[in-house]
Amino acid sequence: MTETLVPEAEHPSSRRWLGLSVLLVPLLIAGLVFWWGFNRSQPHQFSGSVIQGLSAAPDFTLSSDRGPVSLSDYAGRIVMIYFGYTFCPDVCPTTLADAAAAIDSLSDDDAEDVQLIFVTIDPARDTADRLGEYVRHFDDRFVGLTGTEEEIGSVATLYGIYYRAGEGSEATGYLMEHTATLLVIDQAGNLKIVIPFGVESDAIASDLEYMLR
Amino acid sequence: MKVTWVWSIAALALVAAACGGGADIEVADAWGRPSPSVAANGAFYMVITNNTDSADHLVAASSPACAVAELHESMMNDGVMGMAPVGPAGIEIPANSQTTLKVGGLHVMCIDKQAEFVAGDTFSVTLEFENAGTVDVEAEIKEG
């Protein structure tokens, strides 16, 4: 051990550094090139569950404060659908604010190719007027839809959304329990991604950008 | 050598105690999201620190911004999001620890908002703790 250390200590330190650089610099460059190529070849990581294969999003028509709206009105665009209720103080406004921020971060042209539809699961309290004012607070382009209990129920079933009125307090009255996912339909009209609650706007924006490319 | 160590630690402890602010309960980053007047309810979030050696509980809240304020928790059960008032014990702030009221979790639910929540506005919120008593905070309205 000491035998090997002694001769090495006698080397001028500059020569040691030179040797090290000759070895390390090409390695560093190779690493950077590899990392760059690797990143470019990586498939996009969606922020939610990706629906494999083609799953045509069923059409529906419900009411907004500006008249009836059908999913097919937005054919050729990306449509995000969220089922919620205006009485909801926490989860629903957070999702709408995140979706709005994601769309906002796109270029104006791209943003025009994305439509968000908010469907109430609480039609007893959410009138079309209330919904319209509520969703446009988050983004002027958002659409809020309501209908009869039966109409809402059948649209929710088509999209695998569960909801029911749960217990609240004396002050709140009933509170809704609901599937709080953000559904993303691609430009071809297929259900593409199911984004769980809690995904931040950057990740949503990255999915939209990928789909718009 | 050993004696010096002891003195150093004692001095450090004194400094830490002096800088710690001393308040039994400290509340930071109280905020709420902007929402239009048509949204009946809102939520306030915050970080609550308990500087004492015994657990405390947030048992009630009130604010001039809300007809009624309640302590609620959003939670996911089998993929379904629900929300309910917390139990009668309130929200525990463990000894020498923090509890965060945050989006998708514990929050002060502001029922029947008395004003539109506009970014930049602040509303006072009065928190009532089992041990520490009443603590007033200012909640700022802001995006996330």
Side-chain angles (χ1 to χ4, degrees):
Chain A
M1 190 94 173
T2 36
E3 271 174 3
T4 51
L5 266 178
V6 171
E8 215 182 330
E10 282 165 5
H11 279 290
S13 63
S14 57
R15 269 189 64 184
R16 252 201 349 228
W17 278 113
L18 187 71
L20 216 61
S21 323
V22 165
L23 197 73
L24 282 182
V25 169
L27 255 176
L28 198 72
I29 292 169
L32 278 172
V33 168
F34 177 75
W35 179 77
W36 181 75
F38 180 77
N39 252 9
R40 278 176 58 94
S41 65
Q42 280 300 288
H44 175 73
Q45 284 288 325
F46 281 103
S47 60
S49 319
V50 179
I51 311 296
Q52 300 293 345
L54 299 180
S55 170
D59 197 17
F60 59 85
T61 304
L62 290 168
S63 317
S64 79
D65 60 340
R66 294 174 178 174
V69 170
S70 302
L71 175 64
S72 50
D73 295 347
Y74 303 107
R77 299 162 76 176
I78 294 175
V79 180
M80 294 197 276
I81 306 183
Y82 185 76
F83 292 79
Y85 65 124
T86 70
F87 212 70
C88 164
D90 180 34
V91 168
C92 310
T94 299
T95 305
L96 289 178
D98 285 343
I103 294 173
D104 234 27
S105 74
L106 303 174
S107 70
D108 288 351
D109 276 359
D110 280 351
E112 269 182 36
D113 288 331
V114 181
Q115 178 63 50
L116 184 133
I117 296 176
F118 181 89
V119 178
T120 182
I121 42 132
D122 186 12
R125 286 193 288 217
D126 288 340
T127 61
D129 283 343
R130 176 186 285 262
L131 275 168
E133 201 181 327
Y134 178 73
V135 297
R136 286 193 291 273
H137 161 81
F138 295 94
D139 192 311
D140 276 348
R141 295 160 289 204
F142 284 7
V143 166
L145 301 183
T146 187
T148 62
E149 297 276 357
E150 293 73 33
E151 286 168 333
I152 299 289
S154 64
V155 175
T157 304
L158 284 173
Y159 283 89
I161 299 294
Y162 170 86
Y163 65 93
R164 72 176 192 98
E167 230 174 284
S169 67
E170 200 181 317
T172 62
Y174 67 89
L175 295 169
M176 301 302 294
E177 293 169 15
H178 61 113
T179 315
T181 48
L182 186 61
L183 308 175
V184 186
I185 296 166
D186 68 12
Q187 297 94 318
N190 292 306
L191 184 58
K192 180 77 182 169
I193 332 168
V194 179
I195 301 179
F197 171 71
V199 171
E200 293 193 358
S201 59
D202 300 357
I204 300 172
S206 150
D207 286 355
L208 296 175
E209 274 162 13
Y210 177 79
M211 291 171 72
L212 287 161
R213 271 214 299 262
Chain B
M1 184 83 165
K2 225 175 189 176
V3 178
T4 322
W5 264 106
V6 170
W7 278 112
S8 307
I9 288 166
L12 269 175
L14 264 174
V15 170
C19 296
D24 289 352
I25 290 283
E26 286 177 292
V27 180
D29 301 330
W31 69 283
R33 192 180 291 288
S35 72
S37 43
V38 73
N41 308 316
F44 292 121
Y45 310 103
M46 61 198 76
V47 180
I48 305 172
T49 305
N50 179 357
N51 293 319
T52 71
D53 292 330
S54 48
D56 205 342
H57 290 81
L58 172 61
V59 289
S62 62
S63 170
C66 329
V68 177
E70 290 181 346
L71 308 175
H72 280 230
E73 184 169 21
S74 298
M75 61 204 123
M76 190 85 95
N77 288 315
D78 295 329
V80 177
M81 187 59 82
M83 179 179 71
V86 300
I91 296 171
E92 187 185 357
I93 326 293
N96 298 304
S97 185
Q98 280 186 340
T99 297
T100 303
L101 276 54
K102 60 173 190 283
V103 168
L106 293 164
H107 55 272
V108 173
M109 179 163 171
C110 179
I111 300 159
D112 190 7
K113 278 166 40 223
Q114 303 293 294
E116 184 174 351
F117 284 11
V118 180
D121 286 356
T122 56
F123 293 106
S124 69
V125 180
T126 301
L127 306 170
E128 202 184 310
F129 292 90
E130 198 174 53
N131 300 336
T134 297
V135 177
D136 288 318
V137 299
E138 289 292 319
E140 187 192 350
I141 302 302
K142 60 174 187 177
E143 295 287 352

